[in-house]
Amino acid sequence: FAINNNIAYTTRAFIYVPVAEGTCGENATWQLFENGELKINGSGAMENYTSHTQQPWANYRHLIKKVVIGKDITAIGNYAFAYTQNLASVEFEEGSALKSIGVLSFMNAAKLTEVVLPDTVDSISAYGFGCCYELTSVVLPQGISYIYPTAFMNSDKVVLNVAEGTFAETFAINNNIAYTTRAFIYVP
């Protein structure tokens, strides 16, 4: 209106309103915003679910476009984001304490194309990123020490980015998964 009527104006950031919220762990909460962003906040591990219909956001799953994992979340629960057909990106807050990705956590996240896991992640369970048909790139931390053999099952386009000489490189070779290497960084 201001532009069309040649009226001076200033802008401010648009603030999205939560459409649903609740708990998803002993000390973890979730909020789904009207722009499709699902934020997981709080601390500690997320709850494990027994199926994708048990997620507290199951009725809103089709609305989720982006997941943001808070820095103090330590574990992504089983089935947490499974069958989120419109999930296109996953973001981890700076300083993430995330250690593990549960069974079927991102199974069939159909529009997910790339993931950069925090350096703190040390395990990915069975089908963690299974059937992510558009997933082309996953950056694995150099300290990861456990990846279940089916973690990337049927995610046929994926190319893992691994540090040279690490467990992740051996995993990619042993499971016939395409990969690229980066230099191993020694930390004092």
Side-chain angles (χ1 to χ4, degrees):
F1 175 84
I3 293 171
N4 290 341
N5 293 287
N6 201 24
I7 300 171
Y9 66 96
T10 61
T11 60
R12 62 184 184 278
F14 186 86
I15 298 172
Y16 290 100
V17 176
V19 294
E21 57 192 345
T23 61
C24 57
E26 188 174 325
N27 296 306
T29 61
W30 65 278
Q31 288 184 303
L32 177 62
F33 293 86
E34 58 191 349
N35 65 343
E37 184 172 288
L38 176 64
K39 285 191 175 183
I40 308 298
N41 290 308
S43 62
M46 291 176 66
E47 191 171 326
N48 285 317
Y49 305 104
T50 56
S51 97
H52 65 281
T53 61
Q54 300 301 311
Q55 306 153 336
W57 44 83
N59 292 335
Y60 306 98
R61 196 171 46 247
H62 63 285
L63 301 175
I64 299 170
K65 296 176 183 173
K66 178 180 182 179
V67 169
V68 178
I69 306 292
K71 67 181 183 65
D72 295 319
I73 297 298
T74 58
I76 294 175
N78 297 344
Y79 285 95
F81 309 110
Y83 298 92
T84 47
Q85 294 295 317
N86 293 307
L87 178 61
S89 69
V90 178
E91 180 182 304
F92 302 92
E93 286 185 351
E94 190 173 334
S96 177
L98 188 68
K99 293 283 186 195
S100 64
I101 296 173
V103 174
L104 295 126
S105 288
F106 292 95
M107 175 76 166
N108 206 355
K111 293 183 179 177
L112 190 60
T113 59
E114 62 181 39
V115 177
V116 178
L117 294 175
D119 289 337
T120 53
V121 171
D122 62 16
S123 68
I124 302 173
S125 295
Y127 301 97
F129 292 96
C131 299
C132 294
Y133 302 113
E134 297 303 316
L135 188 61
T136 58
S137 174
V138 176
V139 177
L140 295 173
Q142 69 183 32
I144 198 165
S145 60
Y146 177 80
I147 305 172
Y148 198 83
T150 60
F152 299 97
M153 180 70 78
N154 295 325
S155 296
D156 298 334
K157 295 179 182 179
V158 74
V159 176
L160 303 178
N161 181 299
V162 302
E164 283 183 300
T166 61
F167 170 83
E169 182 178 25
T170 302
F171 169 83
I173 292 167
N174 290 345
N175 291 280
N176 200 28
I177 298 174
Y179 69 98
T180 59
T181 57
R182 63 185 187 275
F184 185 91
I185 299 172
Y186 292 93
V187 180

